[in-house]
Short mmCIF file of all heavy atoms in Angstrom, two decimals:
data_model
loop_
_atom_site.label_atom_id
_atom_site.label_comp_id
_atom_site.label_asym_id
_atom_site.label_seq_id
_atom_site.Cartn_x
_atom_site.Cartn_y
_atom_site.Cartn_z
N GLY A 143 3.05 -49.14 10.94
CA GLY A 143 3.97 -49.12 11.88
C GLY A 143 3.51 -49.53 13.30
O GLY A 143 4.22 -49.76 14.26
N SER A 144 2.16 -49.73 13.31
CA SER A 144 1.51 -50.20 14.59
C SER A 144 1.90 -51.51 14.92
O SER A 144 2.44 -52.37 14.06
CB SER A 144 -0.07 -50.04 14.55
OG SER A 144 -0.43 -48.79 14.32
N THR A 145 1.80 -51.88 16.15
CA THR A 145 2.13 -53.27 16.58
C THR A 145 0.89 -54.08 16.65
O THR A 145 -0.18 -53.86 17.15
CB THR A 145 2.71 -53.17 18.14
OG1 THR A 145 3.85 -52.51 18.05
CG2 THR A 145 3.00 -54.63 18.61
N VAL A 146 0.96 -55.32 16.17
CA VAL A 146 -0.19 -56.38 16.01
C VAL A 146 0.22 -57.41 17.13
O VAL A 146 1.30 -58.01 16.98
CB VAL A 146 -0.27 -57.06 14.60
CG1 VAL A 146 -1.25 -58.03 14.66
CG2 VAL A 146 -0.47 -55.98 13.59
N GLU A 147 -0.69 -57.59 18.12
CA GLU A 147 -0.51 -58.70 18.99
C GLU A 147 -0.89 -60.08 18.58
O GLU A 147 -1.89 -60.19 18.08
CB GLU A 147 -1.37 -58.36 20.31
CG GLU A 147 -1.20 -56.99 20.77
CD GLU A 147 0.04 -56.80 21.60
OE1 GLU A 147 0.66 -57.81 22.00
OE2 GLU A 147 0.67 -55.68 21.79
N LEU A 148 0.10 -60.94 18.74
CA LEU A 148 -0.09 -62.44 18.34
C LEU A 148 -0.38 -63.28 19.53
O LEU A 148 0.52 -63.29 20.48
CB LEU A 148 1.04 -62.90 17.31
CG LEU A 148 1.37 -62.02 16.21
CD1 LEU A 148 2.65 -62.53 15.44
CD2 LEU A 148 0.16 -62.00 15.24
N THR A 149 -1.38 -64.12 19.38
CA THR A 149 -1.51 -65.16 20.43
C THR A 149 -1.45 -66.41 19.86
O THR A 149 -2.05 -66.89 18.86
CB THR A 149 -2.97 -64.96 21.04
OG1 THR A 149 -3.10 -63.72 21.61
CG2 THR A 149 -3.18 -66.01 22.24
N ALA A 150 -0.37 -67.27 20.41
CA ALA A 150 -0.08 -68.64 19.95
C ALA A 150 -1.12 -69.65 20.42
O ALA A 150 -1.63 -69.40 21.55
CB ALA A 150 1.19 -68.99 20.23
N ALA A 151 -1.44 -70.67 19.74
CA ALA A 151 -2.26 -71.72 20.04
C ALA A 151 -1.61 -72.49 21.35
O ALA A 151 -0.36 -72.49 21.43
CB ALA A 151 -2.47 -72.70 18.91
N VAL A 152 -2.49 -72.86 22.22
CA VAL A 152 -1.85 -73.58 23.34
C VAL A 152 -1.34 -75.04 22.96
O VAL A 152 -2.03 -75.70 22.34
CB VAL A 152 -3.06 -73.74 24.54
CG1 VAL A 152 -2.49 -74.62 25.51
CG2 VAL A 152 -3.65 -72.56 24.80
N ALA A 153 0.01 -75.01 23.30
CA ALA A 153 0.59 -76.47 22.93
C ALA A 153 0.28 -77.42 23.87
O ALA A 153 1.02 -77.88 24.90
CB ALA A 153 2.07 -76.16 22.91
N ASP A 154 -0.92 -78.06 23.67
CA ASP A 154 -1.46 -79.01 24.63
C ASP A 154 -1.22 -80.55 24.33
O ASP A 154 -1.58 -81.37 24.94
CB ASP A 154 -3.05 -78.82 24.83
CG ASP A 154 -3.70 -78.96 23.45
OD1 ASP A 154 -3.12 -79.21 22.51
OD2 ASP A 154 -4.97 -78.77 23.54
N GLY A 155 -0.58 -80.65 23.06
CA GLY A 155 -0.14 -81.96 22.67
C GLY A 155 -1.27 -82.74 22.10
O GLY A 155 -1.21 -84.01 21.94
N SER A 156 -2.53 -82.11 21.76
CA SER A 156 -3.58 -82.89 21.28
C SER A 156 -3.55 -83.12 19.74
O SER A 156 -4.29 -83.90 19.27
CB SER A 156 -4.90 -82.00 21.50
OG SER A 156 -4.89 -80.82 20.93
N SER A 157 -2.60 -82.62 19.11
CA SER A 157 -2.46 -82.81 17.56
C SER A 157 -1.07 -82.50 17.23
O SER A 157 -0.27 -81.86 17.91
CB SER A 157 -3.47 -81.89 16.81
OG SER A 157 -3.03 -80.52 16.89
N ALA A 158 -0.72 -82.92 15.90
CA ALA A 158 0.55 -82.73 15.45
C ALA A 158 0.87 -81.28 15.19
O ALA A 158 2.05 -80.81 15.06
CB ALA A 158 0.83 -83.52 14.10
N THR A 159 -0.04 -80.50 15.03
CA THR A 159 0.07 -78.97 14.84
C THR A 159 0.14 -78.18 16.12
O THR A 159 0.53 -77.02 16.12
CB THR A 159 -1.10 -78.41 14.04
OG1 THR A 159 -2.32 -78.62 14.78
CG2 THR A 159 -1.30 -79.05 12.63
N GLN A 160 -0.15 -78.88 17.24
CA GLN A 160 -0.07 -78.33 18.68
C GLN A 160 0.76 -79.31 19.55
O GLN A 160 0.19 -79.61 20.69
CB GLN A 160 -1.39 -78.04 19.17
CG GLN A 160 -2.14 -76.96 18.29
CD GLN A 160 -3.51 -76.54 19.13
OE1 GLN A 160 -3.57 -76.59 20.18
NE2 GLN A 160 -4.42 -76.23 18.20
N PRO A 161 2.08 -79.64 19.10
CA PRO A 161 2.64 -80.61 19.99
C PRO A 161 3.11 -79.79 21.25
O PRO A 161 3.60 -78.72 21.38
CB PRO A 161 3.97 -80.88 19.22
CG PRO A 161 4.12 -79.79 18.19
CD PRO A 161 2.75 -79.18 17.94
N ALA A 162 3.17 -80.71 22.35
CA ALA A 162 3.61 -80.18 23.61
C ALA A 162 5.12 -80.13 23.65
O ALA A 162 5.71 -80.77 22.95
CB ALA A 162 3.04 -81.10 24.67
N PRO A 163 5.71 -79.33 24.62
CA PRO A 163 7.16 -79.38 24.63
C PRO A 163 7.74 -80.70 25.06
O PRO A 163 7.03 -81.50 25.77
CB PRO A 163 7.37 -78.26 25.68
CG PRO A 163 6.16 -77.46 25.71
CD PRO A 163 5.05 -78.37 25.38
N ALA A 164 8.99 -80.87 24.63
CA ALA A 164 9.70 -82.15 25.14
C ALA A 164 9.63 -82.28 26.58
O ALA A 164 9.90 -81.33 27.26
CB ALA A 164 11.06 -82.17 24.55
N GLY A 165 9.45 -83.45 27.11
CA GLY A 165 9.32 -83.74 28.48
C GLY A 165 8.11 -83.44 29.23
O GLY A 165 7.94 -83.69 30.44
N SER A 166 7.14 -83.06 28.53
CA SER A 166 5.69 -82.95 29.04
C SER A 166 5.06 -84.25 29.53
O SER A 166 5.29 -85.22 28.72
CB SER A 166 4.78 -82.26 27.95
OG SER A 166 5.23 -80.85 27.72
N LYS A 167 4.56 -84.25 30.62
CA LYS A 167 4.00 -85.42 31.29
C LYS A 167 2.50 -85.60 30.98
O LYS A 167 1.82 -84.54 31.11
CB LYS A 167 4.33 -85.56 32.76
CG LYS A 167 5.79 -85.58 33.01
CD LYS A 167 5.98 -85.77 34.56
CE LYS A 167 7.50 -85.77 34.93
NZ LYS A 167 7.94 -86.05 36.33
N PHE A 168 2.22 -86.84 30.64
CA PHE A 168 0.58 -87.05 30.32
C PHE A 168 0.17 -88.24 31.13
O PHE A 168 0.84 -89.29 31.30
CB PHE A 168 0.53 -87.26 28.88
CG PHE A 168 0.85 -86.11 27.98
CD1 PHE A 168 2.10 -85.92 27.49
CD2 PHE A 168 -0.18 -85.31 27.73
CE1 PHE A 168 2.36 -84.77 26.81
CE2 PHE A 168 0.06 -84.13 26.88
CZ PHE A 168 1.22 -83.86 26.42
N ASP A 169 -1.02 -88.08 31.66
CA ASP A 169 -1.74 -89.13 32.34
C ASP A 169 -2.42 -90.10 31.36
O ASP A 169 -3.24 -89.72 30.54
CB ASP A 169 -2.74 -88.54 33.38
CG ASP A 169 -2.03 -87.91 34.47
OD1 ASP A 169 -1.03 -88.18 34.77
OD2 ASP A 169 -2.81 -86.90 34.95
#
Side-chain angles (χ1 to χ4, degrees):
S144 298
T145 298
V146 177
E147 304 287 340
L148 302 178
T149 301
V152 178
D154 58 3
S156 61
S157 68
T159 59
Q160 297 183 28
S166 298
K167 297 183 178 182
F168 292 87
D169 294 329

